[in-house]
Amino acid sequence: VRLPRLLRMSERGSPLSCLHLLAGDGWVSETELTSQQVVGEEHEQGAYTTARTHNLWSIFRFSQHVTRMVDTLNDMHDRGVLRAAVTESDVRPAMTSVALRVLREFSSRTSCAGAGAEAKLTFLAQPSHEQAGAGALPFTMRVHCEKMKPMRPRGSVVCLVGGRPREHARSKEIGWVWERRKLEALMTPEVEEVVMCTADGALMEGTQTNFFVVQDGRLLTAGEGVLEGTVRAVVLEACRANGVA
């Protein structure tokens, strides 16, 4: 399926020729691992969300990422994976702290940052197995940082259609990274994305993107059963503000 590339914001990071950083509570270090390797290979359980910076020192739709992390961690608590439920007041400071730490380091590496550079941030929260003390959080927070890959020139992209929608679409757990690798293995170099569909052929979402169709002057996208991405939220807000159905 060949689709027009309109307002397409790449979520793929830069190649390893540029610096990759990993930060946690009180530390930051260089790493050879990509964000997918950190999320999908090092840890068996956890919640994650991938964000991008704006003018380097702001994070695009940060509150939405915090809410997504809170919801996913509480889903894990409901299944007995996390020892306690969490709130925004637990998660937001933890995400803010590691983000500031890694962005300070990233911005100091001028060879990688450069003028106008933006960063891709992948936050990872893992269950903490330490003894619960007063004020102790039931998770540890880390963040992977790399330079955002520049947008490619506008044109067309090639997509595959295949695979069934994920069972818990609104929750971003590490298990999904493993599941989607079966679909990613089908992607040849010219393929940009795999769009998943229901048994009756309804197109839902990509493995890392939301999916839209413009038809008869209306914008169509799945209303449920998909991860409600940050760019999706902005697109729908813009449609409402401009009277687009």
Side-chain angles (χ1 to χ4, degrees):
V1 178
R2 187 168 294 275
L3 303 170
R5 184 189 297 275
L6 297 174
L7 299 178
R8 177 72 166 81
M9 191 176 297
S10 176
E11 292 188 338
R12 297 182 181 176
S14 57
L16 281 174
S17 59
C18 194
L19 183 71
H20 287 213
L21 297 170
L22 191 63
D25 184 15
W27 58 270
V28 59
S29 64
E30 293 185 26
T31 178
E32 294 183 354
L33 299 175
T34 65
S35 57
Q36 282 204 354
Q37 289 171 329
V38 169
V39 171
E41 293 183 7
E42 283 201 333
H43 314 296
E44 296 180 355
Q45 294 179 319
Y48 78 99
T49 187
T50 301
R52 59 158 294 155
T53 61
H54 173 66
N55 294 332
L56 192 59
W57 292 105
S58 296
I59 297 177
F60 179 65
R61 307 287 290 202
F62 183 58
S63 291
Q64 188 173 344
H65 287 288
V66 172
T67 299
R68 179 182 296 165
M69 187 69 82
V70 171
D71 291 345
T72 305
L73 287 170
N74 283 331
D75 284 346
M76 293 169 59
H77 169 252
D78 292 343
R79 300 198 315 274
V81 177
L82 202 70
R83 59 178 166 79
V86 300
T87 65
E88 180 181 336
S89 61
D90 298 319
V91 174
R92 181 181 289 270
M95 292 178 67
T96 301
S97 176
V98 294
L100 285 173
R101 187 177 300 279
V102 82
L103 287 175
R104 288 190 191 104
E105 185 68 19
F106 179 80
S107 65
S108 71
R109 309 294 184 102
T110 55
S111 61
C112 255
E118 300 289 359
K120 172 186 171 184
L121 300 174
T122 302
F123 295 89
L124 172 65
Q126 297 173 257
S128 173
H129 302 294
E130 297 179 2
Q131 287 283 340
L137 296 173
F139 63 87
T140 59
M141 185 69 67
R142 291 177 172 81
V143 64
H144 181 278
C145 175
E146 58 189 294
K147 187 176 180 180
M148 282 290 298
K149 186 177 180 180
M151 289 183 65
R152 299 183 214 171
R154 289 187 178 185
S156 297
V157 295
V158 177
C159 293
L160 295 178
V161 175
R164 292 289 178 258
R166 39 187 161 169
E167 187 175 351
H168 303 289
R170 294 184 181 231
S171 196
K172 288 198 78 168
E173 290 191 48
I174 288 173
W176 168 239
V177 177
W178 287 97
E179 291 175 25
R180 77 185 189 203
R181 287 186 178 181
K182 299 174 184 177
L183 298 176
E184 291 171 342
L186 303 175
M187 296 171 63
T188 52
E190 70 273 11
V191 174
E192 178 79 5
E193 177 64 291
V194 178
V195 179
M196 296 173 287
C197 62
T198 62
D200 59 2
L203 299 173
M204 299 296 286
E205 63 178 336
T207 62
Q208 300 184 65
T209 59
N210 285 118
F211 179 77
F212 297 87
V213 171
V214 178
Q215 186 177 66
D216 299 328
R218 301 172 65 225
L219 184 71
L220 306 178
T221 190
E224 57 184 21
V226 298
L227 180 73
E228 298 178 0
T230 54
V231 175
R232 176 185 184 276
V234 171
V235 170
L236 295 181
E237 288 172 7
C239 286
R240 287 190 290 268
N242 291 277
V244 178

